[in-house]
Amino acid sequence: MLATTENINYDEIVKKSNYKFNLPIEELINNSKATQREKRNKKQVIPRPPNAYMIYRRNKAESPDIKSSGQSSSSKSILIADMWKNETDKNKQLFFILSMLAEKNCPKDLKYVQKKPSNTSKSSK
């Protein structure tokens, strides 16, 4: 879907697009500091950069139509997922480029830390 040449300036592609974003680009591609997960996180774990769909979802969730609809979060997610499925390839490519920019801005020492399994299994007597 995306060209893989090194000399493409992705910032320029995003700036030249006529897509109407509901949030600033920097806010879309950077992980939020205000989420419950971020507040609970005691360790300084570096979160993964958001993928194309998560950036799209964050953008659509801030649109006035979705925000003021009064629907539950799960209903909004279903609606946005349907919108993503029906989105044009050109617009999807724009969000894939944004995910590449998010990955580029991510710290290089990103490591996946696997959670230890909890000992909640029931022992038989």
Side-chain angles (χ1 to χ4, degrees):
M1 187 180 252
L2 289 176
T4 57
T5 55
E6 292 294 323
N7 51 357
I8 293 177
N9 188 343
Y10 295 119
D11 293 320
E12 288 299 318
I13 293 172
V14 173
K15 288 177 186 174
K16 289 180 181 178
S17 74
N18 57 0
Y19 191 87
K20 184 188 176 300
F21 293 104
N22 297 306
L23 290 173
I25 301 299
E26 289 300 316
E27 193 172 334
L28 284 174
I29 64 175
N30 292 321
N31 287 311
S32 174
K33 302 289 184 206
T35 61
Q36 289 295 326
R37 182 179 183 184
E38 185 68 28
K39 290 176 183 177
R40 278 193 317 258
N41 195 1
K42 304 282 190 235
K43 299 176 186 174
Q44 292 297 321
V45 177
I46 302 169
R48 293 186 308 183
N51 63 25
Y53 174 73
M54 294 310 297
I55 295 171
Y56 179 83
R57 192 207 181 287
R58 184 181 289 170
N59 183 58
K60 285 296 183 182
E62 290 297 319
S63 72
D65 298 339
I66 302 283
K67 204 170 189 177
S68 64
S69 67
Q71 296 177 331
S72 66
S73 182
S74 60
S75 298
K76 290 178 185 178
S77 290
I78 291 169
L79 179 65
I80 294 171
D82 288 338
M83 293 167 79
W84 175 253
K85 289 175 189 172
N86 297 324
E87 198 66 63
T88 64
D89 285 342
K90 183 179 178 181
N91 287 342
K92 282 185 180 181
Q93 186 175 17
L94 178 63
F95 284 95
F96 281 104
I97 289 171
L98 287 173
S99 70
M100 293 169 76
L101 289 173
E103 192 172 322
K104 187 175 88 173
N105 292 342
C106 185
K108 301 299 180 213
D109 55 348
L110 177 68
K111 292 182 181 176
Y112 175 71
V113 179
Q114 186 174 8
K115 291 182 180 180
K116 294 180 181 177
S118 61
N119 292 335
T120 60
S121 63
K122 296 178 182 178
S123 59
S124 58
K125 293 182 180 181

